[in-house]
Amino acid sequence: MTFDRTHLLGLGDLSRERITTLLDSARSFAEISERSVKKVPTLRGKTVVNLFLEPSTRTRVSFELAAKRLSADTLSISGSASSVVKGESLLDTARTLAAYAPDIVVLRHKAAGAALLLTQHIDASFVNAGDGAREHPTQGLLDLYTVREHFGDVAGLRISILGDVAHSRVARSAIIGFSKMGANVTVCGPPTMIPQGIEELGCSVTFSREAAVRSADVIMLLRIQKERLSEELFPSDREYRRVYGVDEDVLTFAQSHTMVMHPGPVNRGVEICPDVADGPRSLILNQVKNGLAVRMAVLFHCASGGLS
Ligand code: CP
């Protein structure tokens, strides 16, 4: 069965032009959150279901707020407070929710391809809010938006992504998105956290933290995704911090204009130290704020079929 719907499943599916359209729309939607009445009727009469079967703070809250700012009716369901804990399958949960005729379903799930699977069974637009270690496209878009906002353009910038790349959907969407928009992406981490063949996504690899920091316009730090590890990939958090963590001393290798990003949640004192997370180079809270405008744009374009 196929349905004539618009989905956002990954940045790999979007052209450079579509990404630019989304980023431009997000800039328009950002203005709404500056108003005294932060609401427009754009999605009045539409229903948005936020189905989060893995934990989330930023993505879940910003999708819910984005839908509300656009006047959609919203339902938010988490794994721990749903019949999933009684053994209901993803497909049965989705079919149950589909009985209420949602227009858009925002799904976070531990399995790569979960949203794609549901597009084949449920007549709604799906937005992938993170599927296992595969993609997190709205995080990639908000990262692009944040870099464009700060630097004016993304093309030609050097982006270094440091951390547990192997288990990070954020890293995959960032590599795909930034390289598609003309940036030069390097990934860095211990060999156990850098998957073989990652270069095929359009990045280069270094195992030297200093080299990654020295060359970068933007340093994107990633936490170790302990929830996805079946074995330890590094002797200890303390050792990780010593070799791959970033603090003010490590940033002495960076250029004066270099900025630091992190998708959150951060593990302070492991991949990033408080002096950097809260320091003048940090764009972390800009990323959080920009996530709202980006998700408003994504909901709008999914509802209007503007991504197909
Ligand atoms: N960056 C991100 O996806 O954060 P949450 O898990 O809090 O949504």
Side-chain angles (χ1 to χ4, degrees), residues 52 55-60 108 129 136 139 169-170 263-265 295:
F52 277 72
S56 169
T57 298
R58 293 149 200 79
T59 314
R60 184 175 53 80
R108 171 168 286 193
H136 191 351
Q139 179 72 44
R169 53 197 176 207
V170 172
R295 286 166 179 136

Side-chain angles (χ1 to χ4, degrees), residues 170-181:
V170 172
R172 285 178 61 86
S173 289
I175 295 165
I176 293 167
F178 277 106
S179 56
K180 205 169 261 193
M181 300 307 284

Side-chain angles (χ1 to χ4, degrees), residues 78-108:
S78 67
S80 60
S82 74
S83 288
V84 169
V85 292
K86 301 178 202 164
E88 190 162 56
S89 72
L90 171 63
L91 194 49
D92 283 338
T93 300
R95 283 186 173 130
T96 300
L97 296 170
Y100 305 120
D103 297 282
I104 300 173
V105 178
V106 179
L107 177 68
R108 171 168 286 193

